[in-house]
């Protein structure tokens, strides 16, 4: 990456990264909705063992990449929490037909 020479360039790079992240999160959302069709109940949606596994993996990969593991964990916990709520709503909708 070329070192930005102004705050405007920094912001433009961040905006570009944000756009890419939105595209990736949209794909993740589609997968979360698909996962809801395979799960039988709320416990399966919350999947605490999987949650812990993902957080541990994210911390390792973040550290290896030079990203603060604490920052990565905070982001993933928030993201996963939001997607769990979405998946719970999706799962309920599938169960009730609404």
């Amino acid at each position: 990456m070329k070192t930005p020479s102004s705050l405007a360039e920094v912001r433009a790079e961040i905006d570009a990264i944000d756009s890419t992240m939105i595209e990736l999160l949209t794909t993740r959302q589609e997968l979360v909705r698909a996962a809801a069709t395979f799960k039988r109940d709320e416990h399966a949606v919350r999947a605490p063992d999987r949650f812990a596994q993902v957080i541990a993996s994210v911390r390792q990969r973040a550290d290896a990449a030079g990203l603060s593991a604490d920052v990565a964990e905070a982001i993933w916990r928030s993201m996963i929490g939001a997607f769990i709520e979405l998946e719970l709503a999706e799962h309920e909708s599938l169960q009730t037909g609404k």
Side-chain angles (χ1 to χ4, degrees):
M1 178 180 103
K2 179 185 147 240
T3 303
S5 60
S6 69
L7 181 55
E9 285 184 20
V10 168
R11 288 179 175 163
E13 288 292 324
I14 289 172
D15 289 347
I17 291 168
D18 289 348
S19 291
T20 300
M21 289 173 64
I22 288 170
E23 291 173 18
L24 293 170
L25 289 170
T26 300
T27 301
R28 194 179 202 287
Q29 176 179 272
E30 292 168 5
L31 292 168
V32 164
R33 284 188 166 140
T37 66
F38 298 104
K39 297 180 181 178
R40 288 176 276 150
D41 56 28
E42 183 177 328
H43 181 74
V45 171
R46 293 191 184 281
D49 292 341
R50 172 68 176 151
F51 184 90
Q53 176 188 31
V54 169
I55 294 301
S57 175
V58 161
R59 288 189 65 86
Q60 285 182 322
R61 289 183 288 157
D63 192 48
L67 173 64
S68 164
D70 291 341
V71 168
E73 180 175 344
I75 291 167
W76 257 259
R77 283 187 180 278
S78 178
M79 177 183 66
I80 291 170
F83 279 123
I84 286 172
E85 292 305 314
L86 176 75
E87 188 175 355
L88 285 169
E90 187 76 16
H91 187 264
E92 182 179 337
S93 175
L94 289 168
Q95 298 301 314
T96 63
K98 294 181 185 177

